[in-house]
Amino acid sequence: MEDPQVEEVKIEEVKVEVNGEAHDGSRRTSASSASSASPCERSDEPPIQPRDHKEDHAEDGMLMTHSDPDPDPVTKPEESVEYSLKPLENVTLDESSTAPVDPSHPDISLFVKAGNDGESIGNCPFSQRLFMILWLKGVVFNVTTVDLKRKPADLHNLAPGTHPPFLTFNGEVKTDINKIEEFLEETLCPPKYPKLAAKQRESNTAGNDIFAKFSAYIKNTKQEANPVLEKGLTRALRKLDTYLNSVLPDEIDADSMEEEKFSNRCFLDGNEFTLADCNLLPKLHIVKVVAKKYRNYDIPSDMTGVWRYLKNAYTRDEFTNTCAADSEIENAYKDVARRLAK
C-alpha cells in the first residue's frame, strides 16, 4: 500500500535564530522597500480583546483558489494531486532562550505550502498567517513545506484529504485555520507567551473587503468592466488607509493640550503585530505584488497609512521571513489573472 520510495525520504532540520543574525538560505527578506531599522518600539503591554473571525468565512472559498496547486481543476483533477514533505526549519528565539528539554513545552509542527522548487515557501496567505502567529508567540516549532506534486504515505495518513496549512499540536492534527488561531491564542497564553489579540474591535475588520475586491478585479476579462472594478479596489484600500491614519484611544495623550489629528502607529492596532495583522498583511502584500504585475496597478501614493503599514511590516522578520518570494506570488497568479479583451 505504501510507496517504497517514501522510505528513502531524508528529513533534515535547520535551526534558525528568530531574533539573531542567522537565517535559512531558502528564506526571502522583503525589506528592500523600507529602511533597515524599524521605527516601531516593542510594547510590553499585551492586547486584551479576542479576535472576531466571522469575516474570514466569506472569503475562504475565494482565497483557497490561490493556495491550490493549480487554479485550473480541469487540467489537474483533485485525485491526481500529490504531496511530499520537506522540513524547512526548527524555529527558536535565540541561543540564550533555548531551555533544557521540558515536558511542558508543546510539540508543534506546522505544514505549509511549498513553492515551485518543492522546498521554499509557496504562495498561501493562510500558511503565512499561522507561521506569523507561531513566530510571534515565541514558541519553538517545526515548519515543513508540502510539495503539492508528490504524496508520501506519511502525509496521507497524517491528514488525509487536507491541503496545507495544518498543524499538529502534541500529536493532535488541526486543520481549521480560524480554530487553530483561537486554539493557539488560548493555549499559548500569558505569562509564558504573549497575547496577540487586538484591543480595538475595528482592527479585526479593517481591510476585510480588500481581497474580495482584488480577486474580482484580477480575474476580470472585460475591458469595459475594468475601471469599475479598479475603483472598487481603490475604495476598499482607501477605507483601510482612513483607519490606519485615524487616532486610536491609546494614542491620545490626556495631558496634552494639542489634539492628535493623525496616527503614526506602525500596524493596525498599535506598534506591535496582532492577530489582525497576521490575517490582513499576507493578503495585502499579494494585492500589491499581483496588481502591479498583471494590471500595472499601484497602491496610490497618497495612501500614507497603507504605505506606512506595509513599509513597517517589511522591517519585521516575522513578516518577511514567512512570506513567499514575489516571483512565487506572481507565478501562482499567472493562470488566475485574466487578460483584458481588447
Side-chain angles (χ1 to χ4, degrees):
M1 181 175 179
E2 294 187 355
D3 188 341
Q5 294 181 346
V6 173
E7 301 300 328
E8 300 176 3
V9 175
K10 293 183 179 179
I11 296 179
E12 298 179 357
E13 295 180 352
V14 180
K15 285 192 176 181
V16 172
E17 296 180 1
V18 174
N19 294 325
E21 296 296 325
H23 294 285
D24 182 79
S26 64
R27 288 272 180 231
R28 166 192 173 263
T29 300
S30 306
S32 59
S33 60
S35 59
S36 59
S38 171
C40 306
E41 295 295 331
R42 294 183 180 273
S43 171
D44 293 328
E45 182 179 357
I48 58 176
Q49 183 172 336
R51 186 172 183 276
D52 183 0
H53 299 296
K54 291 181 180 179
E55 71 276 7
D56 289 334
H57 293 289
E59 292 182 337
D60 281 352
M62 187 171 294
L63 292 178
M64 284 308 292
T65 300
H66 312 301
S67 62
D68 203 72
D70 193 313
D72 184 2
V74 176
T75 57
K76 289 188 178 181
E78 178 70 17
E79 58 270 21
S80 66
V81 175
E82 296 186 345
Y83 302 81
S84 74
L85 305 181
K86 175 67 177 181
L88 188 59
E89 61 187 36
N90 183 304
V91 183
T92 61
L93 288 178
D94 50 44
E95 289 299 326
S96 62
S97 67
T98 303
V101 176
D102 185 345
S104 66
H105 283 296
D107 180 11
I108 305 173
S109 292
L110 175 64
F111 296 81
V112 301
K113 178 184 175 183
N116 287 328
D117 61 3
E119 298 182 6
S120 61
I121 298 173
N123 172 64
C124 177
F126 297 120
S127 293
Q128 188 176 7
R129 175 178 169 184
L130 295 182
F131 203 161
M132 287 180 68
I133 291 171
L134 287 170
W135 194 310
L136 289 164
K137 283 292 185 180
V139 66
V140 177
F141 61 105
N142 297 316
V143 179
T144 300
T145 54
V146 180
D147 186 357
L148 300 179
K149 299 174 184 176
R150 300 183 180 181
K151 186 179 181 182
D154 52 355
L155 177 63
H156 177 75
N157 295 333
L158 181 64
T162 300
H163 285 260
F166 59 90
L167 64 76
T168 59
F169 193 98
N170 289 336
E172 182 181 353
V173 179
K174 298 183 179 295
T175 59
D176 185 284
I177 309 300
N178 291 336
K179 290 181 180 179
I180 290 173
E181 181 183 276
E182 293 169 356
F183 172 80
L184 293 175
E185 183 69 355
E186 292 173 0
T187 307
L188 304 177
C189 59
K192 190 169 186 178
Y193 304 103
K195 279 186 75 70
L196 298 178
K199 290 182 179 180
Q200 309 302 322
R201 185 177 297 275
E202 294 81 1
S203 296
N204 295 318
T205 57
N208 64 347
D209 59 342
I210 289 175
F211 208 81
K213 299 292 185 183
F214 157 75
S215 294
Y217 173 57
I218 207 69
K219 292 177 181 179
N220 173 54
T221 59
K222 298 178 180 179
Q223 184 73 51
E224 62 272 20
N226 193 64
V228 174
L229 294 171
E230 185 173 301
K231 285 181 181 179
L233 173 59
T234 302
R235 206 161 32 240
L237 288 165
R238 186 75 62 186
K239 281 172 56 181
L240 174 62
D241 185 68
T242 299
Y243 181 72
L244 288 167
N245 282 328
S246 64
V247 179
L248 298 181
D250 288 352
E251 297 179 277
I252 298 175
D253 186 354
D255 298 326
S256 176
M257 299 296 291
E258 297 183 2
E259 181 182 358
E260 296 287 345
K261 295 182 178 180
F262 299 100
S263 174
N264 289 313
R265 68 185 184 277
C266 298
F267 306 114
L268 284 173
D269 205 61
N271 286 335
E272 280 301 312
F273 279 142
T274 63
L275 297 177
D277 299 298
C278 296
N279 181 37
L280 180 61
L281 270 171
K283 303 172 192 172
L284 186 61
H285 180 67
I286 289 172
V287 171
K288 170 179 167 285
V289 171
V290 176
K292 176 62 176 178
K293 171 69 175 180
Y294 294 106
R295 290 291 183 269
N296 197 29
Y297 175 90
D298 289 302
I299 297 174
S301 59
D302 65 337
M303 293 188 186
T304 56
V306 174
W307 279 109
R308 184 180 70 247
Y309 184 42
L310 283 169
K311 289 179 179 179
N312 284 323
Y314 293 154
T315 67
R316 295 288 294 268
D317 287 346
E318 299 96 330
F319 179 75
T320 59
N321 284 2
T322 59
C323 187
D326 287 358
S327 59
E328 281 286 344
I329 298 173
E330 291 170 355
N331 186 67
Y333 276 83
K334 67 180 181 180
D335 294 323
V336 176
R338 306 300 182 185
R339 291 186 178 182
L340 296 176
K342 296 183 179 180

